[in-house]
Amino acid sequence: MQVQVSNISLWALNGHQSPNKLQLRSPSPKPRFRVSAVASPPRPIKLHQPTMSPAKEEVFKSLEGWATESILPLLKPVEECWQPQDLLPNPSNYDEEFFDQIRSIQDRAAEIPDEYFVVLVGDMITEEALPTYQTIMNSIDAVKDRTGVCSSPWARWIRAWSAEENRHGDLLRTYLYLSGRVDMTMVERTIQHLIGAGMNGNFNNNPYLGYVYTSFQERATFVSHGNTAHLAKKSGDPLLARICGTIAADEKRHEIAYVKMTEKLLEVDPNNVMLAIEEMMRRKITMPAALMYDGCDPMLFHHFSAVAQRLGIYTADDYADILEFLIKRWRLEKMEGLNPEAQRAQDFVCGLAPRIRKLQERADERAQKMEPLSVKFSWIFNKEVLV
């Protein structure tokens, strides 16, 4: 496949190493390929936990009835949820049909390019780090599950959302295991490294920041899984297309929930939520697996992101599209009555997407002049892939 080297996508924004991991591996070398036009140096990790303001606590307390009626119904009863086994060969049918189904998976997978499996593994590893994401949400005072079985709608949402998300990694991991295309030992080591490294959401105990992030993040995963489904179908693998599409549908439903939460918060506390949207967009939304590491490649997340950008799985244009979608969905351009600080935030956010696109065009022009770079991925038995 003849392709041009591409810049790192928005997935690579603000990636950095956790302080407790620095002693375990050498510092990341500077990229030998063009980074995204909107990438920025990593921000220092903030190790303090600010006190939640009583005003924000009261906002979420007052919205518990609304969340129960408007958000919790977006979850599905367990009996109505798909399970990974529904899309995979049934091991209880230990007969020739079971083995034929596995051989069919492997035969179709053999026709799919290596770079596709790089992206699919990266997506799966991101899903498998779910314990970190639940922990992050439970670090925010106003919405966290204080007892582990708290009955507030915010806590119930976190637990049930995590349970629904848990199926995504299970399904992708089992498919990848059956495909025979990836080195499962290296994949599993990467998962262990990532969960151990954690994630710095930089939410600073502010639920507004958390819900702005998850609104963007869930739509980004919907786009990514949807694009992997499209490419699988083009490659002649309807089962893999169905797997990725099924996960994308889940992510879309979760996106709807988080977007509705943020929309409601904009109604109740517009000035502070607008400031939170600005703050998250100035930081730039990086995907939660920025600390992934396989024990070999200290630039693994950046290399994975570059492949995703090159294949069109998740790109800088997607990032700008998501921002424009949220601006329209939340009617940010039409908001009136904001205080001066929030108005400045409104102007920044509403004018950001065109700037991102223009900067990315310039970065792409520069990238065209660079020599193609191949990188070995341990996930696919150290085969080289263009980034």
Side-chain angles (χ1 to χ4, degrees), residues 169-222:
D170 287 349
L171 175 56
L172 288 174
R173 185 190 181 284
T174 305
Y175 169 84
L176 287 166
Y177 170 77
L178 295 175
S179 75
R181 288 293 304 274
V182 303
D183 186 334
M184 289 305 299
T185 297
M186 298 308 298
V187 170
E188 289 158 353
R189 285 178 181 171
T190 309
I191 295 169
Q192 186 172 354
H193 274 296
L194 179 57
I195 295 175
M199 169 191 169
N200 177 32
N202 247 341
F203 299 154
N204 296 329
N205 205 17
N206 183 344
Y208 296 172
L209 295 175
Y211 285 144
V212 171
Y213 177 88
T214 47
S215 295
F216 197 105
Q217 162 67 16
E218 291 288 353
R219 187 164 182 84
T221 52
F222 160 68

Side-chain angles (χ1 to χ4, degrees), residues 73 141 252 338:
D141 285 338
K252 179 62 176 179
L338 298 173

Side-chain angles (χ1 to χ4, degrees), residues 73-94:
L74 290 168
L75 298 164
K76 287 188 175 182
V78 173
E79 293 73 21
E80 297 179 13
C81 284
W82 62 266
Q83 298 299 334
Q85 184 56 74
D86 297 336
L87 291 92
L88 297 167
N90 189 346
S92 64
N93 298 330
Y94 199 72

Side-chain angles (χ1 to χ4, degrees), residues 268-279:
V268 176
D269 191 5
N271 289 311
N272 286 319
V273 177
M274 181 61 76
L275 292 175
I277 296 171
E278 179 202 23
E279 183 173 347

Side-chain angles (χ1 to χ4, degrees), residues 50 70 114 207 226 243 257 280 288 327 342:
S70 302
D114 289 332
I243 286 172
M280 288 308 303
I327 289 170

